Amino acid sequence: MSKTGLTYYQAETDRFQDIKIKRLKKRFGCQGYAVYNYVQNEIYRVEGCFIRFTDDQAFDCAEYWNIDEEEVMDIINFCADIELFDAVIWKTRGILTSREIQRRYTEICRRAKKRMFIPDEIALIEDERIETAQPEPLPLFADEAVETVSGTPSYGQPELAVPQNSAELRGIPRKPAENPDKEKKNKINPPSIPPQGGGKLEEEVHKLRSRLEGTPPLSPTPPDDGIRRNPTGILERLQQLRIPPKEIEQLLLLCRYGEIGHPIWALLEDIRKSKGRITMPGRFLLARLKAS
């Protein structure tokens, strides 16, 4: 799995002319800009476009600049007040991000041909993200992880694609004979989710249900009630965690087919942050959702 954060990020040469930066410097002096720049760097380095700023991050920042943690938090809150960070997301979720940070993140990912991921709960540039969140699969891995419309990565089984004939690369027509190994591999390792997220939820739920014994299929179509949902994205995230099909079906019903803003999205983020400490994610999600 590739690194989530960025190795580098861009900085505009006119940033010191920004009225927000001027206000930050006037209020907190050089320490204000130092803290803001430190946090911005951590955002790009760790997650790419956001960071869950906890007491640990505040301690690290305070220790690095040899200032008090309280002053760090005062600077962070002021940055949110003057819209260097999104104030609503910061005050409701404890996450630091902004429209400009997300815009710059997607631009860097586009240029570097890097997969991008912006959680739906904090996305501030949805239109731009959707436009660039469907890169073509890499030629060496027909089912390698790629971004979907929802911004969530989909992972499949690595599958070597058949390279072009060397004679064809030199401009000589290739013989029409088919490569039997490619067809055989495709039958052994069919992609669990279409790389561009174009598969219908009906087909995926039907496939899951067919693995169970003698039970009638679920109604696969989300209700048409005007509520924003991301059914394909939630299905991909659950399959990525290798959750058993039966548990996936229960979770699809509990989260109302990936309703935007549903607690399951935050729980999935907790599982990712645990870095493998949650060994049974399906049961973890079911227990939390049924208790809520």
Side-chain angles (χ1 to χ4, degrees):
M1 185 181 299
S2 62
K3 178 181 176 182
T4 302
L6 302 176
T7 304
Y8 73 94
Y9 67 95
Q10 300 166 320
E12 287 75 6
T13 56
D14 61 350
R15 62 190 181 279
F16 296 116
Q17 308 306 315
D18 189 341
I19 188 63
K20 299 174 185 178
I21 298 296
K22 291 181 178 180
R23 288 178 178 174
L24 176 63
K25 179 179 177 295
K26 183 176 181 180
R27 177 71 175 272
F28 291 97
C30 294
Q31 288 182 339
Y33 182 73
V35 169
Y36 169 69
N37 202 33
Y38 179 94
V39 174
Q40 190 180 45
N41 183 84
E42 290 301 283
I43 288 174
Y44 291 121
R45 183 182 70 86
V46 179
E47 296 292 349
C49 64
F50 70 94
I51 189 171
R52 191 176 298 276
F53 200 77
T54 64
D55 292 339
D56 291 338
Q57 278 75 39
F59 171 80
D60 289 340
C61 182
E63 183 182 45
Y64 189 88
W65 295 118
N66 194 26
I67 58 179
D68 295 332
E69 292 181 54
E70 293 183 0
E71 185 173 4
V72 170
M73 296 308 300
D74 289 341
I75 293 172
I76 294 296
N77 287 322
F78 184 76
C79 287
D81 291 340
I82 62 176
E83 299 182 350
L84 282 171
F85 298 122
D86 186 273
V88 175
I89 294 177
W90 165 240
K91 292 178 181 178
T92 59
R93 298 182 178 275
I95 293 176
L96 294 175
T97 187
S98 72
R99 184 181 300 274
E100 180 62 24
I101 288 173
Q102 293 183 15
R103 183 200 62 76
R104 190 180 297 120
Y105 165 73
T106 57
E107 180 63 26
I108 293 174
C109 288
R110 185 186 302 112
R111 293 182 179 181
K113 297 182 180 179
K114 175 182 173 66
R115 294 183 298 275
M116 63 187 75
F117 172 57
I118 303 178
D120 292 312
E121 312 91 274
I122 63 171
L124 299 172
I125 56 168
E126 183 175 0
D127 291 340
E128 296 179 38
R129 180 169 58 88
I130 290 177
E131 180 183 353
T132 60
Q134 302 183 17
E136 292 295 327
L138 295 179
L140 291 180
F141 294 91
D143 197 23
E144 192 179 12
V146 296
E147 290 299 333
T148 65
V149 171
S150 66
T152 56
S154 170
Y155 296 90
Q157 298 295 328
E159 178 182 353
L160 290 178
V162 178
Q164 288 181 313
N165 189 289
S166 58
E168 182 178 353
L169 295 178
R170 294 193 300 270
I172 303 174
R174 184 175 59 175
K175 294 182 179 180
E178 294 293 334
N179 190 331
D181 292 336
K182 178 180 179 180
E183 183 178 356
K184 182 178 179 181
K185 278 184 172 291
N186 286 336
K187 292 181 179 179
I188 295 176
N189 293 321
S192 58
I193 291 293
Q196 279 72 36
K200 294 182 179 179
L201 181 64
E202 296 93 310
E203 297 176 1
E204 296 305 323
V205 174
H206 179 73
K207 290 177 182 178
L208 293 174
R209 198 63 177 176
S210 65
R211 300 178 190 176
L212 305 178
E213 296 181 356
T215 53
L218 277 171
S219 173
T221 306
D224 187 11
D225 50 12
I227 297 177
R228 293 182 60 210
R229 290 181 171 86
N230 185 3
T232 304
I234 193 66
L235 186 58
E236 290 170 348
R237 293 286 292 275
L238 296 176
Q239 287 186 323
Q240 176 188 340
L241 293 172
R242 301 180 184 275
I243 297 175
K246 188 173 182 179
E247 294 179 4
I248 288 181
E249 292 177 338
Q250 297 179 49
L251 291 169
L252 284 174
L253 293 176
L254 287 173
C255 72
R256 297 184 287 276
Y257 296 96
E259 179 179 318
I260 301 301
H262 193 276
I264 195 171
W265 296 106
L267 292 174
L268 287 171
E269 182 68 12
D270 292 339
I271 293 175
R272 190 182 67 81
K273 291 287 188 180
S274 74
K275 297 181 179 179
R277 291 193 296 272
I278 299 177
T279 57
M280 303 182 73
R283 295 187 181 182
F284 169 81
L285 290 170
L286 287 171
R288 291 296 182 88
L289 293 178
K290 290 180 179 179
S292 61

